[in-house]
Amino acid sequence: MDPLPMHGRDMGVHPDDMIEVQEAEQETKQEVLENKDVRISYPSYRYSNYNLRGNICAKSCLLQKLLRLGIFKEVEVVIDTSDGADALPNGLDVTFEVTEMKRLTGSYNTMVGNNEGSMVLGVKLPNVFGRAEKLTFQFSYGTKETSYGLSFFKPQPGNFERNLALNLYKVTGQFPWSSLKETDRGVSTELNFPLWRTNHTLKWEGVWRELGCLARSASFAVREESGHTLKSALSHTMSIDNRNSAIFPKKGALLRINQELAGYTGGDASFLKEDFELQVNRRLVWDSVLSASLWGGCLLPIGGRPSSIADRFYLGGPTSVRGFGMYSIGPQSEGDYLGGEAYWAGGLHLYTPLPFRPGRAGFGDLFRTHFFLNAGNLCNLNYGEGPRAHLQRLAECIRWSYGAGIVLRLGNIARLELNYCIPMGVQSGDRYNTHTFGGAGQTPVGRGFYIAL
């Protein structure tokens, strides 16, 4: 709490003579305020038997919950002693002063990530029916993707973490690594809820997909995939995230597991897809952080239908195996990358402060030195061979890279990396960033400048 303001007449005492008296008075007042048991007289509140510090912590949590509703512009808490005929000797009155948002709000912002940027325009109706419902229209124009959509969000009263969302959207994207363009028109509904220490999302999505060639030079394999498909899929995502930050975590771990089943609720796409992500962060000496990550997944076609290029996994680039081209690892045809039905990738990262700590406790803390080792593989599997053959195939032809660079944190939304990479284990057909010294036969050296979330 901020210190209480001191008001009263000037009694003609020099301020220096009051130092010891004021310090003693503040210590006594602090002890009384922190340790005295109090009750919340108004409003009625279940945490009303804490001392003052406990009540302040409880009110702070409630304030954060009110802000998370997204319907208040400002929320302030005023705590005062109770007065009136029914006031308790140790009673407190707590008043929440809120300023609601306008009935119609607009927004404009930019987003960066996965080596692309976009401009986002939005219109939102917060608190449509008076229970924190939201109706949002959003338009996004990016370097590789353009989309617009209408969404409705409905939280459970008293439990914001349990909510229902309905979405109607159209997305047009370009995928130059595959010479492919895709337009999705779809509708989805999802239910989000916490369960113990985990968060879950149940989702159904129905999407009409239109695939086409991005260039006249597209390979025949991509042209075969062109046309219209209809996908109806059920998916479930479970996540545990106790990291202290999603951009620059210094401690904590993340586990995310996703399952998707398509074809049983209609459509002509039929498959079972599983993937996971694991990240562990540990603080070391001298404010250094060691981070380890592991991703993996597999796709199983169902009903004898081949998998679609739009459903397969892709690997390579600044967000997975650095030094390689964006999604330019694995099966390809005439220079177009077709994706794979199974993959794994891992990374080991060491983040340290800048040498000699320039700008410490200020602008310099936004920068970190970055040392890394990445590895991974992407391939197609013959599901009649068995698990041992699958693991052996995933262990063959591993691509890996190592290097160092500098990372800049851009607020709490993104990070900018400037890295010097050396890709290794390059296979025929892989695309990597090269700057070769000494002519043919020398080690390929990749220099990457990219933005990654």
Side-chain angles (χ1 to χ4, degrees):
M1 295 180 60
D2 293 330
L4 296 175
M6 302 292 291
H7 297 287
R9 291 185 177 181
D10 184 359
M11 304 301 294
V13 181
H14 194 275
D16 293 339
D17 299 334
M18 294 288 293
I19 294 178
E20 296 182 359
V21 178
Q22 289 179 353
E23 290 181 352
E25 182 181 355
Q26 289 177 358
E27 291 178 359
T28 304
K29 183 178 297 185
Q30 183 177 8
E31 181 180 357
V32 172
L33 290 175
E34 290 183 353
N35 299 327
K36 183 179 179 180
D37 290 335
V38 296
R39 289 187 63 87
I40 303 301
S41 301
Y42 180 82
S44 178
Y45 197 64
R46 61 176 178 171
Y47 300 115
S48 58
N49 290 321
Y50 285 151
N51 56 28
L52 182 60
R53 173 176 290 183
N55 274 287
I56 291 176
C57 292
K59 302 305 174 293
S60 178
C61 293
L62 183 57
L63 184 146
Q64 294 301 323
K65 288 184 178 181
L66 290 174
L67 288 174
R68 286 185 60 191
L69 293 176
I71 62 176
F72 299 118
K73 186 177 181 180
E74 294 180 356
V75 179
E76 296 183 358
V77 182
V78 179
I79 302 177
D80 198 0
T81 55
S82 300
D83 55 6
D86 299 331
L88 299 174
N90 59 345
L92 295 177
D93 289 341
V94 178
T95 304
F96 288 87
E97 298 180 351
V98 300
T99 303
E100 291 191 49
M101 289 186 175
K102 296 180 180 179
R103 301 294 294 177
L104 177 65
T105 63
S107 62
Y108 166 80
N109 55 70
T110 57
M111 297 181 63
V112 291
N114 296 329
N115 258 14
E116 61 178 299
S118 59
M119 176 189 66
V120 182
L121 301 174
V123 177
K124 181 170 63 175
L125 297 173
N127 205 20
V128 178
F129 302 117
R131 294 184 178 271
E133 301 90 351
K134 298 182 186 67
L135 184 64
T136 305
F137 175 80
Q138 185 168 283
F139 172 78
S140 174
Y141 180 80
T143 55
K144 297 177 183 176
E145 182 178 284
T146 301
S147 66
Y148 58 85
L150 182 67
S151 64
F152 176 75
F153 175 84
K154 168 66 177 176
Q156 177 182 328
N159 193 338
F160 186 78
E161 286 74 17
R162 294 178 180 269
N163 55 74
L164 177 69
L166 304 175
N167 304 285
L168 183 66
Y169 62 88
K170 178 182 177 181
V171 181
T172 301
Q174 299 180 359
F175 310 97
W177 48 85
S178 300
S179 297
L180 180 73
K181 62 179 180 181
E182 178 180 353
T183 300
D184 293 347
R185 305 172 181 88
V187 59
S188 68
T189 177
E190 60 183 65
L191 176 65
N192 302 283
F193 60 94
L195 183 61
W196 193 47
R197 297 182 179 179
T198 62
N199 293 308
H200 296 259
T201 299
L202 294 176
K203 181 178 180 180
W204 172 82
E205 181 181 35
V207 54
W208 168 26
R209 303 185 296 191
E210 181 182 357
L211 305 180
C213 297
L214 186 60
R216 298 180 60 182
S217 58
S219 64
F220 182 74
V222 174
R223 295 178 184 274
E224 280 188 316
E225 298 273 0
S226 299
H228 298 266
T229 63
L230 183 62
K231 185 181 82 168
S232 176
L234 296 170
S235 64
H236 168 255
T237 302
M238 186 276 292
S239 63
I240 305 174
D241 189 358
N242 59 8
R243 299 173 299 173
N244 65 327
S245 170
I247 306 300
F248 259 170
K250 294 185 177 181
K251 61 180 180 179
L254 165 69
L255 174 62
R256 182 181 293 112
I257 302 175
N258 182 72
Q259 305 93 24
E260 182 180 5
L261 178 62
Y264 277 81
T265 54
D268 51 15
S270 185
F271 60 84
L272 175 63
K273 192 174 183 180
E274 300 267 352
D275 62 274
F276 74 92
E277 177 184 359
L278 175 64
Q279 183 187 108
V280 179
N281 304 279
R282 186 175 181 84
R283 190 193 299 265
L284 303 178
V285 296
W286 300 312
D287 200 24
S288 299
V289 177
L290 182 65
S291 177
S293 303
L294 181 65
W295 308 267
C298 63
L299 184 149
L300 174 63
I302 299 176
R305 299 177 181 176
S307 61
S308 170
I309 190 173
D311 297 317
R312 300 183 193 126
F313 299 104
Y314 292 85
L315 189 65
T319 58
S320 56
V321 185
R322 291 165 171 80
F324 288 81
M326 194 70 176
Y327 300 141
S328 300
I329 290 178
Q332 56 93 23
S333 174
E334 303 175 29
D336 294 332
Y337 293 89
L338 308 177
E341 296 177 350
Y343 88 102
W344 70 269
L348 189 64
H349 307 261
L350 177 63
Y351 299 96
T352 66
L354 293 177
F356 309 111
R357 303 297 296 269
R360 186 173 184 178
F363 184 73
D365 288 344
L366 299 178
F367 293 86
R368 308 285 284 184
T369 306
H370 180 209
F371 304 91
F372 62 88
L373 173 65
N374 296 137
N377 194 13
L378 175 74
C379 62
N380 291 318
L381 301 179
N382 183 352
Y383 288 97
E385 295 179 345
R388 180 173 296 182
H390 297 168
L391 293 176
Q392 182 177 359
R393 188 170 180 82
L394 285 170
E396 296 175 347
C397 305
I398 295 177
R399 287 81 162 176
W400 60 286
S401 65
Y402 63 94
I406 296 177
V407 185
L408 168 64
R409 177 168 60 88
L410 302 175
N412 293 319
I413 59 172
R415 51 189 281 174
L416 176 70
E417 297 187 6
L418 176 61
N419 290 329
Y420 185 83
C421 308
I422 301 180
M424 306 294 291
V426 179
Q427 303 298 312
S428 177
D430 292 346
R431 186 178 300 150
Y432 53 90
N433 300 321
T434 59
H435 190 95
T436 305
F437 299 93
Q442 300 297 318
T443 303
V445 177
R447 291 174 176 173
F449 177 72
Y450 47 81
I451 297 175
L453 285 175

